[in-house]
Amino acid sequence: QVQLMESGGGLVQAGGSLRLSCAASGSIFRISAMGWYRQAPGKQRELVAVISSGSSTNYANSAKGRFTISRDNAKNTVYLQMNRLKPEDTAVYYCNVVAAAQKWSSPYDYWGQGTQVTVSS
């Protein structure tokens, strides 16, 4: 089993910054993609950013130019640096990791418990 521990959410004023972290632990043979999703009240969960095992990145249009995703493979950790935050960025942010627990296991999607980000105007 793989466990994900998120941190870094909170309340910030518009224009401010936050850095989210997500550390994976447990039985991990290989991690492929790591990413962040968010879900605002009354809306569907949406992709914010994803980073591959080769560090290729992909961002939602709303995140481009303001957010940066990165990963530390030695620590099995993914980060999301969020700058110039807007009230519309308010949501619960979820970490997602695609990992194989054993050498012979198929990759599986793991999700964090979510961390609240609130941006006040």
Side-chain angles (χ1 to χ4, degrees):
Q1 272 288 17
V2 176
Q3 295 82 40
L4 302 180
M5 180 61 70
E6 300 165 347
S7 59
L11 173 65
V12 64
Q13 289 188 332
S17 299
L18 283 174
R19 189 192 194 209
L20 305 182
S21 300
C22 174
S25 62
S27 177
I28 300 172
F29 173 73
R30 179 176 56 247
I31 294 176
S32 49
M34 306 179 84
W36 291 94
Y37 291 70
R38 68 186 183 188
Q39 188 167 18
K43 295 187 177 181
Q44 289 189 332
R45 189 174 298 189
E46 63 178 6
L47 172 71
V48 177
V50 63
I51 184 168
S52 72
S53 57
S55 294
S56 296
T57 58
N58 190 34
Y59 294 92
N61 287 335
S62 59
K64 288 179 182 177
R66 299 188 299 127
F67 295 1
T68 302
I69 189 170
S70 61
R71 62 191 284 172
D72 184 334
N73 292 327
K75 297 181 179 180
N76 289 336
T77 300
V78 61
Y79 305 96
L80 185 68
Q81 178 66 45
M82 303 185 292
N83 299 327
R84 304 201 309 276
L85 283 160
K86 305 175 181 179
E88 49 264 43
D89 294 318
T90 295
V92 177
Y93 284 69
Y94 296 91
C95 172
N96 172 257
V97 169
V98 180
Q102 307 289 342
K103 182 177 182 179
W104 53 85
S105 300
S106 297
Y108 185 80
D109 266 321
Y110 294 93
W111 292 90
Q113 79 284 356
T115 185
Q116 177 70 45
V117 171
T118 303
V119 184
S120 62
S121 57

